[in-house]
Amino acid sequence: MIEKSYKKDEWQGALAKLAKESRVIAPVNGGTHSVFKTLEEGDVPDFKSSKTRLSPKSVVFPQSERMFEYSLDEESEENGILKEAKKDYAEKFVAGIRPCDARSFKLVQVNFDTPTYKDPWWINNYESTTFIGQACNKACSTCFCTSTGGSPFGEEGLDVVTVDMGDSFLVKSVTDKGEKLLNTIGGGADATDDMKTKVAELEKAAVASVKSEIKTDNLKELKETDLFEADFWKDTFDGCINCGGCTFSCPTCWCFDIQDEVQKKEGDRIRNWDSCMFPLFTKHGMGHNPRDQKFQRIRQRFMHKLKYYPDKYDKGIMCVGCGRCVEVCPANIDIRRVAELMNNYSK
Amino acid sequence: MVNYTDKIRETAKRLLNDGTVDTFIGYRKGSLPFVNNPAIIHNAEEADELVWDSNCALNLCNYLTNRTDKIGVLATGCNSRNIAMHLKENKIKREQLVIVGVPCTGMVDHRAVKGMVDGEILEVTEAGEEITVKGDDFEKTFKTADVLQTNCQTCAHRNPVIFDELVADEVPELDGVNQYADVEAVEAQSDEEKWQNFENIFESCIRCYACRNACPLCYCPTCFVDESKPQWVGKSTDPTDTMTFHFLRAFHMAGRCTDCGACERACPVDIPLRYLTKKLNKDAKDIYDYESGTNVEDKALLDTYKPTDLNDFIR
Amino acid sequence: MMKSTNVYLPYPVKIEEIIVETVDRGLRTFKFTFLNKEDEEAFAFMPGQFAEISVPGYGEIPIGIASSPTEKGFLYFTVQKVGSVTSYLHNMKEGDILGLRGPLGNYYPWEEMKGKNVVIIGGGCAFSTLRSSIVYMLDPANRSDYGDIDVVYGARSMDHLIYKDEIISWTKRDDINMHITVDAFLKNDVKPEWRCSQGFVPSIVEEKIKTGDNTMAIVCGPPVMIKFTRPILQKIGFTDENIILSLENRMKCGVGMCGRCNCGSKLVCHDGPVFTLAELNEMAADL
Amino acid sequence: MEKEMQEWQPKIVAFLCNWCTYGAADLAGVNRLQYPPNFKVIRVPCSGRISPKLILAAFRNGADGVWISGCHPGDCHYIEGNMYARRRFTLFRSLFKHIGIDERRLHFSWISAAEGIKFAEVANDIVKTVKEVGPAKQLIKEKAQVA
């Protein structure tokens, strides 16, 4: 493990240098929010604002991703034969990712990297990415990572973690991948014991700054079918307008759709993010839709996150407590409130 | 407008208690500053949860489409125009509705306010014509009129156009504002500039369809983006597909959009969606002297014609 | 299990033959052969599984495999013309190339059924995986593993019965009891020389199936048929563990990743499509 | 370059009403009137049938211009289809302009089945105009720009 201290300028400079050679994705100020983007000449990463508008899940799982290409030219020998689209899996770096977002990849991994089936694109993308995390010194009012199993200083899913110490960053490697990166970057000064003590203090303060929580302690005991049939689903969530804002901004929502597109004689098979909020998500070809009603779709989203996922994988809830869905929702459907209703439910 | 709250609760209670309505639709305090939670309540006890302030921007007309019960609904100027459009388009019957009119002085643009302070806003309080925002280490007061949503700044119908009762006296309509100054500015631009605007504006779209779903008039059972035979628009984030979606969505609003701003408010990536619909509104006004939803009797703009309609662009 | 390196990459297959099953031409059975011999070996399946038929330019559809693993060298899929993919598929010609991805999902519990009687109950076009099962059990190598086989199969009319020739040949065998029924005989239907009753599937089940002892029932058909057959099977004496159902839901990936086909915490494509009624009772299912 | 432009022929999708302009096109043919072959004609039952989706679909698939032609006001086979269409086209054209696409790519006309000469004239003029504007570059759906 390497633990070093970098002056802020030095660290930014090191990242800028890294960005010249490889793809570095970091939050950049984009007006009202900062957004993750690939650093280009002149971009200055914004390590101050705590939450980007959208999570960086698209780095590993792009919103639209070409899977296969094919020709529909009847003259051609290759007519109708699918070929894998060419991909660039060169090493890339995500800097300034918050512990909650980094942890989300670990929660999503169990879906794409299973004992029976492997999703090649997700896995290749994930494995070629090095995550340089930025610990949160202070939580936002909508953050509740500590009650989902994470922490503002959490290291799960990170290769390197950095802590803002005022005028410098304390940089620590978590994995071998991270150690390799820090060796390449070089520079910095060895971390002193004073610094380590200060980090511990900062961590304590950061954890204490998380004021909000999600209550899910009872959910394990409750029966899936009982919760499913609970009466609050129908009554409480009339306000939802079924936009996909929550699912698209959520770092742990992974559902996708597969679409074929043809331009002239060239075809593409593309996968796109999909959302359980859309009626089309489950509509059968025959016209029947098992989740025809708004409340059924809401129920699916929250049951999946808070009940099905924890029961199936035993990794806790499928939520890292970033609070983005709470902020984005135009109708103020708040996952903390939904969890409370579910948690307090008794038959 | 905060002083409407008591009257609204009282009205809701009365209507629910005497059985005039089965359901009352209003707002309840949200869990975050600047957001209220639409409340669809069925009994008088819940009426005490209802509130009114300058954050009631999600259009309640969304919840009326195809309902069959008797409903009391709060309606500001733009909301009432949406109700009028619903009545015109037979999405609900007039006798089902008790429209409780709310004279409105505009809704606060939370993005603008957030941009004016340094730090996270934890609390918003409203008193009289002012709002005060508080964070960990700051407190700032704004005149509500200075931080209104852009559509509210130039609103032409602040008072409900149809209602059964009002919760307060009508407010004065805005005087001497040019509703379409921004559209005029764009009209003066070259084609290249216009195209550039169009590309830039919709570049960040994530195709979550929040704009469509937040719009009270987007109620088609199957939206054209979801149609598969034929498939009009691709579903990826390809820029051409995104632009096609927004162009067609806007066009479906022609002669219907009431400029309520629900689409912009709902957009998670701050796209100024009214860029297109406002142009259509302006054309409707300029060419046909038509404003959507200002009354129930008129037919919708594209549902009628005059033999003398503009013809000079047709050979 | 799929052996291909990329789980989304279909094997290329050729349409060898197209059989029009019904008079309204809404149902066709496609006979596919693999272009590459090694793909065929990789595609080892059991009756009850499905595959994604991949039509380039249109998309993929999950369809139950209608042929049996005992039939070598080809695969059958019976497809109803419904949406854009199936409509295009119905317009394809013999010799056309498309893709096939699978086998996917689980299958009927063949091990558990060994030594037991089997009742197969099917309705309409959902008979495909049941055909696969019957052919599998009737194979001389497997027949002795199972006790009495009863088949109750119903369709709207004579015209809507699929695999008619095969069904007729089975009615003549003595190692399987066929109970074919149609909802109604139409005016110009010629009454077949083989026995075909008139009535809905549940009532035929009640009439023909005598006991649920040491018997497992495989039920596959439209929801309404399942709904009314269920209580009858329970009345006859089938336990929920012995009633086997095959579910269907909208699917995209077929390998448990795209997230839409779940019933509670179970994914129909990956943990299913075959569930016992006992399992289904414990699932939070939007159906 | 100049020469290339001279040789470039625009692709124009023409939605022609079955009851009038389509007949006019026939008549122009029968009368051996000269008009350019740049049109892909799609016969529609009425100009009122034209949805903005169809116009955009033409542009998305690479049309350089779109021409919609129906019956003169008052002559609609369905009494008033073209009157509704007229309002729709007015607004469509305006919004089209607003996003920065040259309005000279969009053409509308009323041509009755007897007006073979007008058909040929308008057709010639449309090709000339669209040629002036040049090949379309906007809103064309090409291979998806995705990851």
Side-chain angles (χ1 to χ4, degrees), chain A residues 32-33 53-54 63-64 138-142 235-236 238-245 248-249 257 259-261 270 272-273 277-280 283 294 326-334 336-337, chain B residues 28-32 35-38 40 42 58 62-63 67 111 115 120-122 136 204-214 222 225-226 231 234-238 241 265-266 268-270:
Chain A
T32 47
H33 288 79
R53 184 158 56 191
L54 298 174
Q63 175 161 10
S64 294
K138 187 174 174 302
C140 303
S141 65
T142 46
D235 307 337
T236 324
D238 283 348
C240 174
I241 56 170
N242 271 175
C243 70
F248 282 19
S249 59
D257 184 17
Q259 289 281 329
D260 277 41
E261 276 187 13
I270 296 172
N272 302 305
W273 290 354
M277 292 292 116
F278 302 157
L280 209 65
K283 192 173 178 188
K294 195 152 75 173
V326 183
E327 287 173 19
V328 155
C329 184
N332 194 237
I333 309 281
D334 191 324
R336 295 168 293 182
R337 187 163 155 262
Chain B
R28 124 178 5 103
K29 188 106 199 86
S31 61
L32 294 184
V35 199
N36 283 335
N37 176 220
I40 299 166
H42 304 285
L58 187 74
N62 261 314
Y63 306 107
R67 278 188 89 110
R111 291 182 181 117
E120 198 192 359
I121 296 171
L122 300 174
D136 264 345
S204 52
C205 175
I206 55 168
R207 298 290 288 271
C208 69
Y209 306 129
C211 46
R212 175 190 78 185
N213 290 21
T222 308
V225 274
D226 293 338
Q231 188 162 341
K235 302 215 167 181
S236 68
T237 46
D238 180 67
D241 287 328
R265 179 93 176 195
V269 289
D270 305 350

Side-chain angles (χ1 to χ4, degrees), chain C residues 178-204:
Chain C
M178 299 295 291
H179 314 286
I180 312 296
T181 177
V182 293
D183 296 356
F185 285 105
L186 303 178
K187 246 190 223 149
N188 43 3
D189 274 349
V190 188
K191 269 241 174 186
E193 70 269 35
W194 43 280
R195 257 188 73 84
C196 178
S197 23
Q198 184 180 356
F200 293 121
V201 168
S203 49
I204 305 296

Side-chain angles (χ1 to χ4, degrees), chain A residues 141-165:
Chain A
S141 65
T142 46
C143 290
F144 50 93
C145 55
T146 46
S147 51
T148 63
S151 155
F153 270 58
E155 292 173 0
E156 194 182 348
L158 285 176
D159 298 302
V160 173
V161 64
T162 65
V163 182
D164 188 338
M165 312 273 286

Side-chain angles (χ1 to χ4, degrees), chain B residues 238 241 283 301 305 309 315, chain D residues 80 87 94 125 141 145:
Chain B
D238 180 67
D241 287 328
D283 285 344
L301 179 67
Y305 65 89
D309 278 344
R315 293 163 202 253
Chain D
E80 50 187 13
R87 285 201 162 189
S94 165
D125 187 57
K141 171 74 183 174
Q145 292 178 34

Side-chain angles (χ1 to χ4, degrees), chain C residues 80-101:
Chain C
Q80 187 169 11
K81 186 173 173 175
V82 178
S84 54
V85 180
T86 51
S87 301
Y88 186 77
L89 187 61
H90 269 234
N91 287 335
M92 289 179 93
K93 304 178 298 291
E94 286 166 3
D96 284 352
I97 307 287
L98 39 80
L100 191 67
R101 199 149 66 77

